[in-house]
Amino acid sequence: MKKVLLGVGLLLSVSVGTGAAAPINDLDRGQTAVGVLTDTIYLEHKIGENLTVGYQNVDRKHGSDMDDFYAQYKLPFSSVRAILGHRDLGSGSTYIGLSVSEGLAPRVDGYASVIGSDDFIEYQVGATLELTRAVDLNLNYRNFRPDHYRNESRLEVGASYKF
């Protein structure tokens, strides 16, 4: 157990140093989040009342990185967001999706998302723990099902820094 806690502590110290992490963030207008997960780094910025734009880089096991440019639009009066993005400019594909997030407990939010295109589908379920107003800890399960590579499922840990 001590080794697991030490490993999580080391991951957090590295993550917070570079920025840190979670795919579904609740940002205020004009706020930016920088994040790291097990194999992902990302940057998001909320540019309007309901619109967040972002970039993420995922280091996949099969040897090629994937770069995503995306937008999330929070539907009025709900916790649902519509997602539109493009993976790997030039040779990639445009994808669409939905996410939902809800408070589970004080300072803990749960979320689920699905995105897909004609080349892949990706599911994600996770929870975010607010450590401070600027730093969140994230734990999620991600399932990636591409058409041309092996399916990947993994449990991921990360953190995010908001400013």
Side-chain angles (χ1 to χ4, degrees):
M1 182 66 174
K2 289 181 182 180
K3 289 181 182 181
V4 171
L5 292 174
L6 178 61
V8 169
L10 288 172
L11 176 62
L12 281 175
S13 66
V14 170
S15 298
V16 172
T18 58
I24 304 299
N25 283 303
D26 285 322
L27 301 174
D28 294 327
R29 187 177 187 166
Q31 193 173 28
T32 300
V34 179
V36 169
L37 283 167
T38 304
D39 62 357
T40 304
I41 60 171
Y42 77 93
L43 173 69
E44 291 182 340
H45 183 73
K46 190 164 185 179
I47 61 173
E49 189 64 33
N50 296 319
L51 184 62
T52 302
V53 295
Y55 164 78
Q56 94 176 352
N57 176 273
V58 181
D59 181 15
R60 295 289 180 199
K61 289 180 182 178
H62 54 73
S64 64
D65 286 357
M66 287 191 272
D67 294 307
D68 286 13
F69 294 92
Y70 59 90
Q72 299 174 359
Y73 181 78
K74 187 172 183 180
L75 301 176
F77 308 109
S78 79
S79 59
V80 176
R81 298 178 199 192
I83 302 168
L84 175 65
H86 191 81
R87 182 159 287 171
D88 295 330
L89 287 177
S91 63
S93 60
T94 299
Y95 58 84
I96 59 171
L98 290 173
S99 73
V100 62
S101 61
E102 285 293 329
L104 301 177
R107 301 176 39 183
V108 178
D109 290 330
Y111 63 87
S113 68
V114 60
I115 60 173
S117 75
D118 57 347
D119 291 330
F120 71 91
I121 190 162
E122 185 172 303
Y123 305 95
Q124 189 172 172
V125 172
T128 301
L129 170 64
E130 180 184 307
L131 298 177
T132 69
R133 287 186 51 79
V135 178
D136 293 341
L137 175 65
N138 183 267
L139 176 69
N140 75 44
Y141 171 77
R142 183 181 297 192
N143 183 277
F144 177 65
R145 297 175 174 266
D147 287 347
H148 306 292
Y149 301 100
R150 299 172 91 200
N151 293 347
E152 297 177 15
S153 296
R154 69 179 61 192
L155 188 63
E156 298 179 311
V157 177
S160 63
Y161 177 70
K162 300 174 188 177
F163 55 95

